Amino acid sequence: MIKSTIQGLLVAAIALGASASAIADDEDAGHLHGIWRITRTPINCQSGQQVAPSFQAIMTFHEDGTLTGYAVPPASSPALQSPEFGLWNRERGRGNYSFTDLSFTYDQGGAFAGSIELTAEVQLGADGDTLTHETRIDIFDGNGAFLLSHCGRATGTRFR
């Protein structure tokens, strides 16, 4: 009797564990972490119209909530900008995320010129392999004083 009760509980526990695992897997099917090919487009903050050529970026959203990225905007050079480092969060609602990242800029002589902070609201596509985001780009001088803001939007596809 006790043995059959224990066996019954074990079967129920395994079934519940499998169900919980399936639910977790289904919920995580829309995860952000991974490597993304991103197309960034500078836009006018008021009109939403494109104001400069789009350009490519690579972003990695790590499972621990950190991110790294790299991009070279038009009319710039890899020597003038550092990689991006930041943090991302899951937000309320299916497929909603946000992130903030930081990169440094340098002048033609290689001296520190300032920083760029991106703040974005991300929407993961229903397929889990595409994303879009709206971005505010804040630019600071070498002393940390705010200079100006720009806006952008981006689309991305998961790198596999």
Side-chain angles (χ1 to χ4, degrees), residues 114-137:
S115 62
I116 300 173
E117 294 182 16
L118 275 68
T119 304
E121 295 182 13
V122 181
Q123 178 62 53
L124 193 63
D127 62 2
D129 286 333
T130 59
L131 63 75
T132 58
H133 67 75
E134 300 290 322
T135 310
R136 187 184 78 239
I137 303 108

Side-chain angles (χ1 to χ4, degrees), residues 30-54:
H31 62 79
L32 183 62
H33 57 83
I35 301 169
W36 294 85
R37 297 174 192 247
I38 305 289
T39 301
R40 292 179 174 171
T41 303
I43 61 171
N44 178 292
C45 295
Q46 283 73 43
S47 70
Q49 296 298 312
Q50 184 171 341
V51 294
S54 296

Side-chain angles (χ1 to χ4, degrees), residues 11-28:
V11 169
I14 290 170
L16 285 173
S19 296
S21 176
I23 291 167
D25 287 346
D26 184 47
E27 189 129 333
D28 284 343

